[in-house]
Amino acid sequence: MENKMQTKHLDFYYGKKQVLKNVSLDMKERQITALIGPSGCGKTTLLRLLNRMNDVIPEIRLDGDVLLDGENIYAAGVDVVEVRKRVGMVFQQPNPFPKTVFENIAFGPRMMGQKNRLYLEEIVERSLKVAAIWDEVKDNLDKSGLALSGGQQQRLCIARTLAIEPEVILMDEPCSALDPISTLKIEELMQDLKKQYTIVIVTHNMQQAARVSDRTGFLLLGELVEYSETSEIFGRPRDQRTEDYITGRFG
Amino acid sequence: MSPKIAQRIAKVFIWGGGAITVAILLGIILYILIQGVPVLSLDFLITPPRGGLTGEGGISTAIIGTLYILGVTLAIVIGPGIGAGIYLAEYARNNRFTQIIRYAVGILAGVPSIVFGLFGFTLFVTALRFNFSILSGALSLVCLLLPTLIRTTEEALKTVPRSYREAALATGASKWQTIRHVVLPAAMPGIVTGIILCAGRVVEETACLYVTMGGSAAMPKSILSGGRTLSLHLFYLAMETRAFDKAMGTGAVLIIIIIVINTLTNWLSHRFQVKMRGG
């Protein structure tokens, strides 16, 4: 299986504080990679490094490489906008724009210069269908995205990401603000999405990681303690710290 | 003292403070309207003032002068004011330079308007030879209003949640696209409120214009003509003539204009928010 994304010996600092230590992680194409670990372990930081969302934060320092199809996305001359078109992101809190459902989805293509109304309508419908929310919103495309329920908003945000036709989708605790039924819908959706996309998900919820992911990485204090097949991590953890965490002895 | 009694006393004070404020405001507005409205007539509105010490005539040229200076001032101030606000909120790093800018903006916002008038008189009226004119007045008002507009714009932009920006950036928008298509629309009610505040300041400003606009009672012919606004006219009527009733009439017109502007603002920003929040 191809490595879609890789981090190599990644060190990351906020000011003087080191939050990631020598993290090397391979994310396989069309698989779901889950990152678990207690709060403050650096898993969200790691995720946000994969599409350079941390760029906006002042006083950060990064050593090591983040590769997308073998190319370092932090190399000089790389266009960060291009990186983000290939690596989309879904956030912890659903964050639709204060615009209509249609405009939320059409936003990405519009920003890339797409003006053709028919094409936009097609891509909006396709994205909403893939995100399994089309039936719920097809009659209300001109209603505000903020008028939807939390679970619908999150699927709307996933559809918004799909509309830019990314190769990788990063999900930062996408279900932590949702009820169990909405969570289930998103998890089912992820299984559909992985046929076409590489997914990296950060989750607080170990059952979720066990249910949805192919490979799981356990982070602790900025260190990637263990990384392997999800069944291995949860079935036969090699490191004592991993075992302690997944059996609920801390975290 | 028991919590119950303390609460009751606090309530009386707070309620009393509110009641006194409302009473004073209503008192002023009603007094001027009661004194001023009887003077109002179509004739009063469309007749030019006679000028001089008589105080006779209407307020037509003052209305035109007000609209004229309002238009010119806003046309000049909106671009740089909002631009600087965007710069400070979105682009400027928090370093010594921007701290100095913010500090200067803060000080300028508190400088009395007559000081801006003196500055305008020295620079625009005298040095640049715009003489007493709409242009000199408008440019002085621009200096007066810039700090306010920069501040309100910056505040409005800062209230836009970070999650909107992150969503736009993660969807492949550039920084400018994010600002232009997500942040600015979301901040628009606040920015519009800032602009309307500026419009209010233009309508009410007197001291600054007294020394830059000249106060001619004639109809302004161009941007380089002198002229007077309603506030300035009111000042002349009250201080240099015995036409106190006409001063009251002018005051009534001013108050009505301010009420209209404020109602319009509230209505606009409310409508905007309802549309955005998806009610």
mmCIF file with all atom_site columns, all heavy atoms in Angstrom, chain A residues 48 81 84 91 95 97-99 111 144 147 160 164, chain B residues 163-164 166-172 177 181-182 276 278:
data_model
loop_
_atom_site.group_PDB
_atom_site.id
_atom_site.type_symbol
_atom_site.label_atom_id
_atom_site.label_alt_id
_atom_site.label_comp_id
_atom_site.label_asym_id
_atom_site.label_entity_id
_atom_site.label_seq_id
_atom_site.pdbx_PDB_ins_code
_atom_site.Cartn_x
_atom_site.Cartn_y
_atom_site.Cartn_z
_atom_site.occupancy
_atom_site.B_iso_or_equiv
_atom_site.pdbx_formal_charge
_atom_site.auth_seq_id
_atom_site.auth_comp_id
_atom_site.auth_asym_id
_atom_site.auth_atom_id
_atom_site.pdbx_PDB_model_num
ATOM 1   N N   . ARG A 1 48  ? -2.776  19.301 12.317 1.00 0.00 ? 48  ARG A N   1
ATOM 2   C CA  . ARG A 1 48  ? -2.794  20.614 11.674 1.00 0.00 ? 48  ARG A CA  1
ATOM 3   C C   . ARG A 1 48  ? -1.499  20.910 10.921 1.00 0.00 ? 48  ARG A C   1
ATOM 4   O O   . ARG A 1 48  ? -1.455  21.827 10.097 1.00 0.00 ? 48  ARG A O   1
ATOM 5   C CB  . ARG A 1 48  ? -3.071  21.710 12.717 1.00 0.00 ? 48  ARG A CB  1
ATOM 6   C CG  . ARG A 1 48  ? -4.506  21.655 13.246 1.00 0.00 ? 48  ARG A CG  1
ATOM 7   C CD  . ARG A 1 48  ? -4.683  22.545 14.459 1.00 0.00 ? 48  ARG A CD  1
ATOM 8   N NE  . ARG A 1 48  ? -4.419  23.937 14.152 1.00 0.00 ? 48  ARG A NE  1
ATOM 9   C CZ  . ARG A 1 48  ? -5.384  24.806 13.828 1.00 0.00 ? 48  ARG A CZ  1
ATOM 10  N NH1 . ARG A 1 48  ? -6.636  24.439 13.799 1.00 0.00 ? 48  ARG A NH1 1
ATOM 11  N NH2 . ARG A 1 48  ? -5.074  26.043 13.548 1.00 0.00 ? 48  ARG A NH2 1
ATOM 12  N N   . VAL A 1 81  ? -1.611  27.335 -0.419 1.00 0.00 ? 81  VAL A N   1
ATOM 13  C CA  . VAL A 1 81  ? -2.991  27.197 -0.897 1.00 0.00 ? 81  VAL A CA  1
ATOM 14  C C   . VAL A 1 81  ? -3.154  25.896 -1.692 1.00 0.00 ? 81  VAL A C   1
ATOM 15  O O   . VAL A 1 81  ? -4.140  25.174 -1.543 1.00 0.00 ? 81  VAL A O   1
ATOM 16  C CB  . VAL A 1 81  ? -3.397  28.427 -1.741 1.00 0.00 ? 81  VAL A CB  1
ATOM 17  C CG1 . VAL A 1 81  ? -4.752  28.205 -2.406 1.00 0.00 ? 81  VAL A CG1 1
ATOM 18  C CG2 . VAL A 1 81  ? -3.460  29.671 -0.869 1.00 0.00 ? 81  VAL A CG2 1
ATOM 19  N N   . ARG A 1 84  ? -3.396  22.979 0.647  1.00 0.00 ? 84  ARG A N   1
ATOM 20  C CA  . ARG A 1 84  ? -4.698  22.857 1.320  1.00 0.00 ? 84  ARG A CA  1
ATOM 21  C C   . ARG A 1 84  ? -5.800  22.415 0.370  1.00 0.00 ? 84  ARG A C   1
ATOM 22  O O   . ARG A 1 84  ? -6.810  21.882 0.801  1.00 0.00 ? 84  ARG A O   1
ATOM 23  C CB  . ARG A 1 84  ? -5.065  24.185 1.993  1.00 0.00 ? 84  ARG A CB  1
ATOM 24  C CG  . ARG A 1 84  ? -4.117  24.512 3.138  1.00 0.00 ? 84  ARG A CG  1
ATOM 25  C CD  . ARG A 1 84  ? -4.611  25.694 3.938  1.00 0.00 ? 84  ARG A CD  1
ATOM 26  N NE  . ARG A 1 84  ? -3.617  26.080 4.930  1.00 0.00 ? 84  ARG A NE  1
ATOM 27  C CZ  . ARG A 1 84  ? -3.209  27.327 5.121  1.00 0.00 ? 84  ARG A CZ  1
ATOM 28  N NH1 . ARG A 1 84  ? -3.712  28.301 4.377  1.00 0.00 ? 84  ARG A NH1 1
ATOM 29  N NH2 . ARG A 1 84  ? -2.321  27.600 6.040  1.00 0.00 ? 84  ARG A NH2 1
ATOM 30  N N   . PHE A 1 91  ? -13.284 20.269 11.047 1.00 0.00 ? 91  PHE A N   1
ATOM 31  C CA  . PHE A 1 91  ? -12.878 20.713 12.378 1.00 0.00 ? 91  PHE A CA  1
ATOM 32  C C   . PHE A 1 91  ? -13.745 20.112 13.480 1.00 0.00 ? 91  PHE A C   1
ATOM 33  O O   . PHE A 1 91  ? -14.782 19.512 13.225 1.00 0.00 ? 91  PHE A O   1
ATOM 34  C CB  . PHE A 1 91  ? -12.917 22.243 12.453 1.00 0.00 ? 91  PHE A CB  1
ATOM 35  C CG  . PHE A 1 91  ? -11.929 22.892 11.522 1.00 0.00 ? 91  PHE A CG  1
ATOM 36  C CD1 . PHE A 1 91  ? -12.249 23.111 10.186 1.00 0.00 ? 91  PHE A CD1 1
ATOM 37  C CD2 . PHE A 1 91  ? -10.674 23.251 11.966 1.00 0.00 ? 91  PHE A CD2 1
ATOM 38  C CE1 . PHE A 1 91  ? -11.334 23.692 9.323  1.00 0.00 ? 91  PHE A CE1 1
ATOM 39  C CE2 . PHE A 1 91  ? -9.754  23.842 11.116 1.00 0.00 ? 91  PHE A CE2 1
ATOM 40  C CZ  . PHE A 1 91  ? -10.088 24.052 9.788  1.00 0.00 ? 91  PHE A CZ  1
ATOM 41  N N   . ASN A 1 95  ? -18.261 24.200 11.506 1.00 0.00 ? 95  ASN A N   1
ATOM 42  C CA  . ASN A 1 95  ? -18.077 25.637 11.268 1.00 0.00 ? 95  ASN A CA  1
ATOM 43  C C   . ASN A 1 95  ? -18.524 26.056 9.880  1.00 0.00 ? 95  ASN A C   1
ATOM 44  O O   . ASN A 1 95  ? -17.742 26.571 9.096  1.00 0.00 ? 95  ASN A O   1
ATOM 45  C CB  . ASN A 1 95  ? -16.621 26.048 11.516 1.00 0.00 ? 95  ASN A CB  1
ATOM 46  C CG  . ASN A 1 95  ? -15.647 25.253 10.665 1.00 0.00 ? 95  ASN A CG  1
ATOM 47  O OD1 . ASN A 1 95  ? -16.036 24.329 9.964  1.00 0.00 ? 95  ASN A OD1 1
ATOM 48  N ND2 . ASN A 1 95  ? -14.382 25.623 10.701 1.00 0.00 ? 95  ASN A ND2 1
ATOM 49  N N   . PHE A 1 97  ? -20.029 28.403 7.045  1.00 0.00 ? 97  PHE A N   1
ATOM 50  C CA  . PHE A 1 97  ? -20.025 29.861 6.897  1.00 0.00 ? 97  PHE A CA  1
ATOM 51  C C   . PHE A 1 97  ? -21.444 30.381 7.114  1.00 0.00 ? 97  PHE A C   1
ATOM 52  O O   . PHE A 1 97  ? -22.405 29.658 6.876  1.00 0.00 ? 97  PHE A O   1
ATOM 53  C CB  . PHE A 1 97  ? -19.580 30.253 5.490  1.00 0.00 ? 97  PHE A CB  1
ATOM 54  C CG  . PHE A 1 97  ? -18.203 29.806 5.143  1.00 0.00 ? 97  PHE A CG  1
ATOM 55  C CD1 . PHE A 1 97  ? -17.970 29.047 4.005  1.00 0.00 ? 97  PHE A CD1 1
ATOM 56  C CD2 . PHE A 1 97  ? -17.122 30.138 5.950  1.00 0.00 ? 97  PHE A CD2 1
ATOM 57  C CE1 . PHE A 1 97  ? -16.694 28.635 3.673  1.00 0.00 ? 97  PHE A CE1 1
ATOM 58  C CE2 . PHE A 1 97  ? -15.840 29.730 5.621  1.00 0.00 ? 97  PHE A CE2 1
ATOM 59  C CZ  . PHE A 1 97  ? -15.631 28.972 4.482  1.00 0.00 ? 97  PHE A CZ  1
ATOM 60  N N   . PRO A 1 98  ? -21.575 31.641 7.521  1.00 0.00 ? 98  PRO A N   1
ATOM 61  C CA  . PRO A 1 98  ? -22.918 32.222 7.608  1.00 0.00 ? 98  PRO A CA  1
ATOM 62  C C   . PRO A 1 98  ? -23.449 32.534 6.215  1.00 0.00 ? 98  PRO A C   1
ATOM 63  O O   . PRO A 1 98  ? -23.724 33.676 5.881  1.00 0.00 ? 98  PRO A O   1
ATOM 64  C CB  . PRO A 1 98  ? -22.704 33.484 8.448  1.00 0.00 ? 98  PRO A CB  1
ATOM 65  C CG  . PRO A 1 98  ? -21.271 33.820 8.267  1.00 0.00 ? 98  PRO A CG  1
ATOM 66  C CD  . PRO A 1 98  ? -20.535 32.551 7.989  1.00 0.00 ? 98  PRO A CD  1
ATOM 67  N N   . LYS A 1 99  ? -23.523 31.509 5.406  1.00 0.00 ? 99  LYS A N   1
ATOM 68  C CA  . LYS A 1 99  ? -24.015 31.633 4.033  1.00 0.00 ? 99  LYS A CA  1
ATOM 69  C C   . LYS A 1 99  ? -25.019 30.504 3.794  1.00 0.00 ? 99  LYS A C   1
ATOM 70  O O   . LYS A 1 99  ? -25.180 29.643 4.664  1.00 0.00 ? 99  LYS A O   1
ATOM 71  C CB  . LYS A 1 99  ? -22.853 31.476 3.038  1.00 0.00 ? 99  LYS A CB  1
ATOM 72  C CG  . LYS A 1 99  ? -21.731 32.497 3.147  1.00 0.00 ? 99  LYS A CG  1
ATOM 73  C CD  . LYS A 1 99  ? -20.616 32.120 2.158  1.00 0.00 ? 99  LYS A CD  1
ATOM 74  C CE  . LYS A 1 99  ? -19.381 32.991 2.337  1.00 0.00 ? 99  LYS A CE  1
ATOM 75  N NZ  . LYS A 1 99  ? -19.521 34.337 1.790  1.00 0.00 ? 99  LYS A NZ  1
ATOM 76  N N   . MET A 1 111 ? -13.687 29.875 -5.144 1.00 0.00 ? 111 MET A N   1
ATOM 77  C CA  . MET A 1 111 ? -12.397 30.487 -4.834 1.00 0.00 ? 111 MET A CA  1
ATOM 78  C C   . MET A 1 111 ? -11.336 30.046 -5.844 1.00 0.00 ? 111 MET A C   1
ATOM 79  O O   . MET A 1 111 ? -10.328 30.711 -6.040 1.00 0.00 ? 111 MET A O   1
ATOM 80  C CB  . MET A 1 111 ? -11.935 30.121 -3.415 1.00 0.00 ? 111 MET A CB  1
ATOM 81  C CG  . MET A 1 111 ? -12.778 30.723 -2.311 1.00 0.00 ? 111 MET A CG  1
ATOM 82  S SD  . MET A 1 111 ? -12.940 32.524 -2.403 1.00 0.00 ? 111 MET A SD  1
ATOM 83  C CE  . MET A 1 111 ? -14.604 32.688 -2.987 1.00 0.00 ? 111 MET A CE  1
ATOM 84  N N   . SER A 1 144 ? -29.783 29.213 5.291  1.00 0.00 ? 144 SER A N   1
ATOM 85  C CA  . SER A 1 144 ? -28.457 29.369 5.898  1.00 0.00 ? 144 SER A CA  1
ATOM 86  C C   . SER A 1 144 ? -27.936 28.037 6.419  1.00 0.00 ? 144 SER A C   1
ATOM 87  O O   . SER A 1 144 ? -28.685 27.244 6.996  1.00 0.00 ? 144 SER A O   1
ATOM 88  C CB  . SER A 1 144 ? -28.533 30.367 7.053  1.00 0.00 ? 144 SER A CB  1
ATOM 89  O OG  . SER A 1 144 ? -27.332 30.309 7.792  1.00 0.00 ? 144 SER A OG  1
ATOM 90  N N   . ALA A 1 147 ? -28.607 27.196 10.008 1.00 0.00 ? 147 ALA A N   1
ATOM 91  C CA  . ALA A 1 147 ? -29.936 26.802 10.477 1.00 0.00 ? 147 ALA A CA  1
ATOM 92  C C   . ALA A 1 147 ? -30.050 25.283 10.622 1.00 0.00 ? 147 ALA A C   1
ATOM 93  O O   . ALA A 1 147 ? -31.034 24.787 11.131 1.00 0.00 ? 147 ALA A O   1
ATOM 94  C CB  . ALA A 1 147 ? -31.005 27.322 9.516  1.00 0.00 ? 147 ALA A CB  1
ATOM 95  N N   . ARG A 1 160 ? -18.431 20.352 2.080  1.00 0.00 ? 160 ARG A N   1
ATOM 96  C CA  . ARG A 1 160 ? -17.685 21.533 1.648  1.00 0.00 ? 160 ARG A CA  1
ATOM 97  C C   . ARG A 1 160 ? -16.236 21.153 1.332  1.00 0.00 ? 160 ARG A C   1
ATOM 98  O O   . ARG A 1 160 ? -15.634 21.648 0.386  1.00 0.00 ? 160 ARG A O   1
ATOM 99  C CB  . ARG A 1 160 ? -17.733 22.591 2.753  1.00 0.00 ? 160 ARG A CB  1
ATOM 100 C CG  . ARG A 1 160 ? -16.986 23.861 2.438  1.00 0.00 ? 160 ARG A CG  1
ATOM 101 C CD  . ARG A 1 160 ? -17.175 24.893 3.521  1.00 0.00 ? 160 ARG A CD  1
ATOM 102 N NE  . ARG A 1 160 ? -16.603 24.454 4.786  1.00 0.00 ? 160 ARG A NE  1
ATOM 103 C CZ  . ARG A 1 160 ? -16.821 25.047 5.951  1.00 0.00 ? 160 ARG A CZ  1
ATOM 104 N NH1 . ARG A 1 160 ? -17.611 26.097 6.014  1.00 0.00 ? 160 ARG A NH1 1
ATOM 105 N NH2 . ARG A 1 160 ? -16.271 24.597 7.050  1.00 0.00 ? 160 ARG A NH2 1
ATOM 106 N N   . ILE A 1 164 ? -13.868 20.562 -2.953 1.00 0.00 ? 164 ILE A N   1
ATOM 107 C CA  . ILE A 1 164 ? -12.587 20.992 -3.527 1.00 0.00 ? 164 ILE A CA  1
ATOM 108 C C   . ILE A 1 164 ? -11.797 19.791 -4.044 1.00 0.00 ? 164 ILE A C   1
ATOM 109 O O   . ILE A 1 164 ? -10.659 19.933 -4.479 1.00 0.00 ? 164 ILE A O   1
ATOM 110 C CB  . ILE A 1 164 ? -11.723 21.801 -2.517 1.00 0.00 ? 164 ILE A CB  1
ATOM 111 C CG1 . ILE A 1 164 ? -11.417 20.973 -1.277 1.00 0.00 ? 164 ILE A CG1 1
ATOM 112 C CG2 . ILE A 1 164 ? -12.392 23.100 -2.152 1.00 0.00 ? 164 ILE A CG2 1
ATOM 113 C CD1 . ILE A 1 164 ? -10.408 21.634 -0.352 1.00 0.00 ? 164 ILE A CD1 1
ATOM 114 N N   . SER B 2 163 ? -12.943 30.287 13.665 1.00 0.00 ? 163 SER B N   1
ATOM 115 C CA  . SER B 2 163 ? -13.350 29.080 12.945 1.00 0.00 ? 163 SER B CA  1
ATOM 116 C C   . SER B 2 163 ? -13.753 29.394 11.498 1.00 0.00 ? 163 SER B C   1
ATOM 117 O O   . SER B 2 163 ? -13.546 28.568 10.619 1.00 0.00 ? 163 SER B O   1
ATOM 118 C CB  . SER B 2 163 ? -14.500 28.391 13.678 1.00 0.00 ? 163 SER B CB  1
ATOM 119 O OG  . SER B 2 163 ? -15.647 29.211 13.673 1.00 0.00 ? 163 SER B OG  1
ATOM 120 N N   . TYR B 2 164 ? -14.308 30.593 11.253 1.00 0.00 ? 164 TYR B N   1
ATOM 121 C CA  . TYR B 2 164 ? -14.656 30.951 9.875  1.00 0.00 ? 164 TYR B CA  1
ATOM 122 C C   . TYR B 2 164 ? -13.395 31.057 9.017  1.00 0.00 ? 164 TYR B C   1
ATOM 123 O O   . TYR B 2 164 ? -13.347 30.597 7.894  1.00 0.00 ? 164 TYR B O   1
ATOM 124 C CB  . TYR B 2 164 ? -15.380 32.302 9.816  1.00 0.00 ? 164 TYR B CB  1
ATOM 125 C CG  . TYR B 2 164 ? -16.790 32.314 10.359 1.00 0.00 ? 164 TYR B CG  1
ATOM 126 C CD1 . TYR B 2 164 ? -17.386 31.168 10.871 1.00 0.00 ? 164 TYR B CD1 1
ATOM 127 C CD2 . TYR B 2 164 ? -17.538 33.478 10.355 1.00 0.00 ? 164 TYR B CD2 1
ATOM 128 C CE1 . TYR B 2 164 ? -18.670 31.181 11.369 1.00 0.00 ? 164 TYR B CE1 1
ATOM 129 C CE2 . TYR B 2 164 ? -18.832 33.512 10.854 1.00 0.00 ? 164 TYR B CE2 1
ATOM 130 C CZ  . TYR B 2 164 ? -19.385 32.365 11.365 1.00 0.00 ? 164 TYR B CZ  1
ATOM 131 O OH  . TYR B 2 164 ? -20.654 32.407 11.851 1.00 0.00 ? 164 TYR B OH  1
ATOM 132 N N   . GLU B 2 166 ? -10.474 29.682 9.583  1.00 0.00 ? 166 GLU B N   1
ATOM 133 C CA  . GLU B 2 166 ? -9.841  28.374 9.404  1.00 0.00 ? 166 GLU B CA  1
ATOM 134 C C   . GLU B 2 166 ? -10.591 27.569 8.353  1.00 0.00 ? 166 GLU B C   1
ATOM 135 O O   . GLU B 2 166 ? -9.976  26.905 7.524  1.00 0.00 ? 166 GLU B O   1
ATOM 136 C CB  . GLU B 2 166 ? -9.808  27.626 10.741 1.00 0.00 ? 166 GLU B CB  1
ATOM 137 C CG  . GLU B 2 166 ? -8.886  28.284 11.748 1.00 0.00 ? 166 GLU B CG  1
ATOM 138 C CD  . GLU B 2 166 ? -8.463  27.335 12.850 1.00 0.00 ? 166 GLU B CD  1
ATOM 139 O OE1 . GLU B 2 166 ? -9.286  26.490 13.235 1.00 0.00 ? 166 GLU B OE1 1
ATOM 140 O OE2 . GLU B 2 166 ? -7.315  27.448 13.312 1.00 0.00 ? 166 GLU B OE2 1
ATOM 141 N N   . ALA B 2 167 ? -11.933 27.645 8.399  1.00 0.00 ? 167 ALA B N   1
ATOM 142 C CA  . ALA B 2 167 ? -12.720 26.900 7.416  1.00 0.00 ? 167 ALA B CA  1
ATOM 143 C C   . ALA B 2 167 ? -12.372 27.363 6.003  1.00 0.00 ? 167 ALA B C   1
ATOM 144 O O   . ALA B 2 167 ? -12.170 26.551 5.106  1.00 0.00 ? 167 ALA B O   1
ATOM 145 C CB  . ALA B 2 167 ? -14.210 27.089 7.684  1.00 0.00 ? 167 ALA B CB  1
ATOM 146 N N   . ALA B 2 168 ? -12.275 28.673 5.822  1.00 0.00 ? 168 ALA B N   1
ATOM 147 C CA  . ALA B 2 168 ? -11.993 29.202 4.481  1.00 0.00 ? 168 ALA B CA  1
ATOM 148 C C   . ALA B 2 168 ? -10.588 28.799 4.026  1.00 0.00 ? 168 ALA B C   1
ATOM 149 O O   . ALA B 2 168 ? -10.395 28.330 2.904  1.00 0.00 ? 168 ALA B O   1
ATOM 150 C CB  . ALA B 2 168 ? -12.140 30.713 4.471  1.00 0.00 ? 168 ALA B CB  1
ATOM 151 N N   . LEU B 2 169 ? -9.608  28.938 4.927  1.00 0.00 ? 169 LEU B N   1
ATOM 152 C CA  . LEU B 2 169 ? -8.228  28.584 4.558  1.00 0.00 ? 169 LEU B CA  1
ATOM 153 C C   . LEU B 2 169 ? -8.137  27.100 4.232  1.00 0.00 ? 169 LEU B C   1
ATOM 154 O O   . LEU B 2 169 ? -7.491  26.694 3.268  1.00 0.00 ? 169 LEU B O   1
ATOM 155 C CB  . LEU B 2 169 ? -7.274  28.933 5.700  1.00 0.00 ? 169 LEU B CB  1
ATOM 156 C CG  . LEU B 2 169 ? -7.092  30.427 5.969  1.00 0.00 ? 169 LEU B CG  1
ATOM 157 C CD1 . LEU B 2 169 ? -6.267  30.648 7.229  1.00 0.00 ? 169 LEU B CD1 1
ATOM 158 C CD2 . LEU B 2 169 ? -6.429  31.115 4.782  1.00 0.00 ? 169 LEU B CD2 1
ATOM 159 N N   . ALA B 2 170 ? -8.817  26.270 5.040  1.00 0.00 ? 170 ALA B N   1
ATOM 160 C CA  . ALA B 2 170 ? -8.750  24.821 4.823  1.00 0.00 ? 170 ALA B CA  1
ATOM 161 C C   . ALA B 2 170 ? -9.486  24.421 3.553  1.00 0.00 ? 170 ALA B C   1
ATOM 162 O O   . ALA B 2 170 ? -9.338  23.304 3.073  1.00 0.00 ? 170 ALA B O   1
ATOM 163 C CB  . ALA B 2 170 ? -9.342  24.084 6.025  1.00 0.00 ? 170 ALA B CB  1
ATOM 164 N N   . THR B 2 171 ? -10.310 25.326 3.008  1.00 0.00 ? 171 THR B N   1
ATOM 165 C CA  . THR B 2 171 ? -11.018 25.016 1.774  1.00 0.00 ? 171 THR B CA  1
ATOM 166 C C   . THR B 2 171 ? -10.252 25.575 0.573  1.00 0.00 ? 171 THR B C   1
ATOM 167 O O   . THR B 2 171 ? -10.798 25.715 -0.508 1.00 0.00 ? 171 THR B O   1
ATOM 168 C CB  . THR B 2 171 ? -12.458 25.592 1.840  1.00 0.00 ? 171 THR B CB  1
ATOM 169 O OG1 . THR B 2 171 ? -12.994 25.287 3.126  1.00 0.00 ? 171 THR B OG1 1
ATOM 170 C CG2 . THR B 2 171 ? -13.370 24.964 0.818  1.00 0.00 ? 171 THR B CG2 1
ATOM 171 N N   . GLY B 2 172 ? -8.999  25.914 0.786  1.00 0.00 ? 172 GLY B N   1
ATOM 172 C CA  . GLY B 2 172 ? -8.160  26.320 -0.332 1.00 0.00 ? 172 GLY B CA  1
ATOM 173 C C   . GLY B 2 172 ? -8.309  27.778 -0.730 1.00 0.00 ? 172 GLY B C   1
ATOM 174 O O   . GLY B 2 172 ? -7.945  28.150 -1.836 1.00 0.00 ? 172 GLY B O   1
ATOM 175 N N   . GLN B 2 177 ? -8.715  36.066 -0.201 1.00 0.00 ? 177 GLN B N   1
ATOM 176 C CA  . GLN B 2 177 ? -10.054 35.527 -0.475 1.00 0.00 ? 177 GLN B CA  1
ATOM 177 C C   . GLN B 2 177 ? -10.812 35.279 0.818  1.00 0.00 ? 177 GLN B C   1
ATOM 178 O O   . GLN B 2 177 ? -12.014 35.524 0.911  1.00 0.00 ? 177 GLN B O   1
ATOM 179 C CB  . GLN B 2 177 ? -9.936  34.213 -1.264 1.00 0.00 ? 177 GLN B CB  1
ATOM 180 C CG  . GLN B 2 177 ? -9.588  34.415 -2.730 1.00 0.00 ? 177 GLN B CG  1
ATOM 181 C CD  . GLN B 2 177 ? -9.394  33.092 -3.450 1.00 0.00 ? 177 GLN B CD  1
ATOM 182 O OE1 . GLN B 2 177 ? -8.878  32.133 -2.888 1.00 0.00 ? 177 GLN B OE1 1
ATOM 183 N NE2 . GLN B 2 177 ? -9.824  33.043 -4.695 1.00 0.00 ? 177 GLN B NE2 1
ATOM 184 N N   . HIS B 2 181 ? -14.185 37.268 1.174  1.00 0.00 ? 181 HIS B N   1
ATOM 185 C CA  . HIS B 2 181 ? -15.430 36.523 0.979  1.00 0.00 ? 181 HIS B CA  1
ATOM 186 C C   . HIS B 2 181 ? -16.022 35.952 2.268  1.00 0.00 ? 181 HIS B C   1
ATOM 187 O O   . HIS B 2 181 ? -17.159 35.504 2.270  1.00 0.00 ? 181 HIS B O   1
ATOM 188 C CB  . HIS B 2 181 ? -15.216 35.381 -0.022 1.00 0.00 ? 181 HIS B CB  1
ATOM 189 C CG  . HIS B 2 181 ? -14.871 35.859 -1.396 1.00 0.00 ? 181 HIS B CG  1
ATOM 190 N ND1 . HIS B 2 181 ? -15.816 36.366 -2.263 1.00 0.00 ? 181 HIS B ND1 1
ATOM 191 C CD2 . HIS B 2 181 ? -13.686 35.957 -2.046 1.00 0.00 ? 181 HIS B CD2 1
ATOM 192 C CE1 . HIS B 2 181 ? -15.229 36.729 -3.386 1.00 0.00 ? 181 HIS B CE1 1
ATOM 193 N NE2 . HIS B 2 181 ? -13.935 36.497 -3.283 1.00 0.00 ? 181 HIS B NE2 1
ATOM 194 N N   . VAL B 2 182 ? -15.244 35.910 3.335  1.00 0.00 ? 182 VAL B N   1
ATOM 195 C CA  . VAL B 2 182 ? -15.785 35.335 4.574  1.00 0.00 ? 182 VAL B CA  1
ATOM 196 C C   . VAL B 2 182 ? -15.739 36.352 5.720  1.00 0.00 ? 182 VAL B C   1
ATOM 197 O O   . VAL B 2 182 ? -16.757 36.638 6.347  1.00 0.00 ? 182 VAL B O   1
ATOM 198 C CB  . VAL B 2 182 ? -15.017 34.054 4.970  1.00 0.00 ? 182 VAL B CB  1
ATOM 199 C CG1 . VAL B 2 182 ? -15.509 33.552 6.314  1.00 0.00 ? 182 VAL B CG1 1
ATOM 200 C CG2 . VAL B 2 182 ? -15.220 32.981 3.911  1.00 0.00 ? 182 VAL B CG2 1
ATOM 201 N N   . MET B 2 276 ? -28.093 36.301 7.884  1.00 0.00 ? 276 MET B N   1
ATOM 202 C CA  . MET B 2 276 ? -26.894 35.496 8.102  1.00 0.00 ? 276 MET B CA  1
ATOM 203 C C   . MET B 2 276 ? -27.141 34.310 9.016  1.00 0.00 ? 276 MET B C   1
ATOM 204 O O   . MET B 2 276 ? -26.704 33.214 8.769  1.00 0.00 ? 276 MET B O   1
ATOM 205 C CB  . MET B 2 276 ? -25.814 36.356 8.759  1.00 0.00 ? 276 MET B CB  1
ATOM 206 C CG  . MET B 2 276 ? -25.217 37.356 7.838  1.00 0.00 ? 276 MET B CG  1
ATOM 207 S SD  . MET B 2 276 ? -24.315 36.502 6.561  1.00 0.00 ? 276 MET B SD  1
ATOM 208 C CE  . MET B 2 276 ? -23.289 37.819 6.008  1.00 0.00 ? 276 MET B CE  1
ATOM 209 N N   . GLY B 2 278 ? -29.715 32.801 9.539  1.00 0.00 ? 278 GLY B N   1
ATOM 210 C CA  . GLY B 2 278 ? -30.613 31.820 8.971  1.00 0.00 ? 278 GLY B CA  1
ATOM 211 C C   . GLY B 2 278 ? -31.875 31.631 9.772  1.00 0.00 ? 278 GLY B C   1
ATOM 212 O O   . GLY B 2 278 ? -32.315 30.520 9.999  1.00 0.00 ? 278 GLY B O   1
#
